[in-house]
Amino acid sequence: MKLAWQNIVHDRARFSVTVLGVSFAVFLMVFQGSLLVGFLRAASRLIDSSDSDIWITARGVQAFEFGTPIEGRVREMAAGVPGVLETSRVCMAFAVYRTPNGKQQVVALVGADRNVGTRFPVPGASGSAEGTPDAVFYDVSDRDLIQVTAMPAEVEVNRHRASIERQIKGYGAFLGVPFLFTSYRNASRYMGAGPEEAMFVLLRVDKGYSTSDVLQNLRQRLPEVDVLTRDEFARKSRSYWTIKTGAGGAILTAAVLGFLIGLVVVSQTIYANTMENIEEYATLKALGASQAFVARIVLTQALICGVVGSILGLLAVVPMIGYAKSLIPWIYTPWWLLLFMVVPSLAMCSLASIASVRSALTVEPGRVFRA
Amino acid sequence: MPNHFLSVEGASVSFGKRQAQVHALRNVSQSFERGTLSLVMGPSGSGKTTLLSLLGCLLSPDEGTVFIEGVAVNGLSEAERTTVRQEKISFVFQAFRLFHSLSAIDNVALGFELRDAHMPGRMEMAKNLLVRFGLGDKLNQEPNELSPGEKQRVAIARALAGNPPILLADEPTASLDAQAGRNICQILRRQVDDDGRTVVVVTHDPRWQEFADRTITLCDGRVEPMEKNQ
């Protein structure tokens, strides 16, 4: 396969164009993939952060951000179902936040009981500071919107006094509206909700019971609400944001477009490269090269371009995503995405070389006698 | 009894259709004996290269039969014809047809690889061939760094890689000056005298006459009745 490598080295300009095409496609695919993964992750981030096994929501609630109140008795009835170890409440509503310097900002106010989970950002939850009764947390990426210079800072939420006491990480604005986290008691007060009302009732199942049995039991007893496992509700929420709003589809389309643009660029350059060397393929065949030998040369060239282009694309996209995090806090690149993207890029190069392989294989060896 | 080592019998080849049809060969029968150097001469368009293509398993006749080492190759599949070329036939071209990105030694080593992908010591054998043709100091030169005569010697070395019994050359001296051309004639003649190879040369170059065992002249796709024996 020295010929494959030497052909590439010999025509560096063409090789560069091919590699650039692959890099561009890999860059786009990884970037869009990171947007998609980050978007999916952000769409269910708060649900995933709870320690609960089961979520109860009002009937037809599509996503965490669109919860509607459910009666307090639902929680009491759920607590009485065999196998339910513990209940907690979460609520979320849009509220008006007044910054320390008097500006107003719409925020997504999230309140939760302390026992909702250790990873859930709520004042007083384990691992989290107790704070004052009015304590509110916000994500560091929303600093510019929250406009707090020092903590604690006295602010207003829906004309109620609140105290910004801590910055957290990883729960940045997902809808362009910053989250504020506080206790359930505070949140229901800010929202003007009754003390027993909840938007989401979360349940932990006793170890001795099967979650699916408890779920079935709850569904029978509480037909007026939706009873879902945590994963089901997370999936429902992700599905809403990605499919029903079209946002995920747009991101996915951009990723696919990146692949297709890369495919076209790479196909054209690999094809042009093959056609430029078509006389050499004819010579190879005249000298006794098998079809497999000829195909291997074209494919090897394409795969070398794919590997080099992928590496360069990844080297370019990683720092770019790092920079993009300051603008899109929820963008997220899991390590597997980087590895996973090598597969479509190599597939892209192989696909792109199909036309070239065909041309190289069908060239008449008899043309070698044409001067 | 006809000699079927390398021969065509009643071969006809035409290209194109209807009014545009050209009869490149018409009922040609010729045998080429083992260990001889034969010239195929004739004006342009007389069918010389078509005959060479038939002998090289690169083309099948519309009618007639081509024999290589006693085997009729017409009915073989493309893969089988490739194997015949791999094992028995080698080519030298007017335009050299070296692989532009490979050095001289790599070009020759590729010739060995094409005949046997697992052949050990390819580079050493390639080097020996090039040294034999006076190119010991050009091993790592690329084709564009070689003179036309040197290119043709590299091409011959590549053709001889793997020791094929049949060597077919298409105008091998047409692009060369007198000295280089004579040198190539001598090299191909030695392939017959020293190694017993069968060499068929298509040429317009009269310098070849003194190196050939026989000359076949084609005209309008037919063999001219006069055959000159050297």
Side-chain angles (χ1 to χ4, degrees), chain B residues 131-147:
Chain B
V131 169
R132 192 172 134 198
F133 291 144
L135 294 165
D137 57 339
K138 309 277 184 183
L139 299 178
N140 295 309
Q141 309 275 56
E142 287 183 2
N144 62 4
E145 297 167 323
L146 300 172
S147 71

Side-chain angles (χ1 to χ4, degrees), chain A residues 1-3 6-7 10 277 279-280 283-290 293 365-371, chain B residues 49 52-53 58 82 85-86 91 93-94 97-102 106 110 113-114 123 142 158 170:
Chain A
M1 287 300 103
K2 193 167 189 173
L3 181 59
Q6 285 299 117
N7 276 349
H10 214 259
N277 294 322
E279 294 298 328
E280 291 200 347
T283 306
L284 272 175
K285 290 180 75 175
L287 295 180
S290 63
F293 186 92
R367 65 193 286 159
V368 286
F369 290 129
R370 293 174 206 155
Chain B
T49 301
L52 207 62
S53 298
L58 298 173
T82 299
R85 286 200 298 274
Q86 248 174 22
F91 299 94
F93 309 103
Q94 177 183 348
R97 290 193 169 265
L98 295 174
F99 298 100
H100 74 289
S101 63
L102 296 181
D106 286 334
L110 180 60
E113 186 182 353
L114 290 173
M123 292 303 274
E142 287 183 2
R158 181 182 67 185
D170 182 40

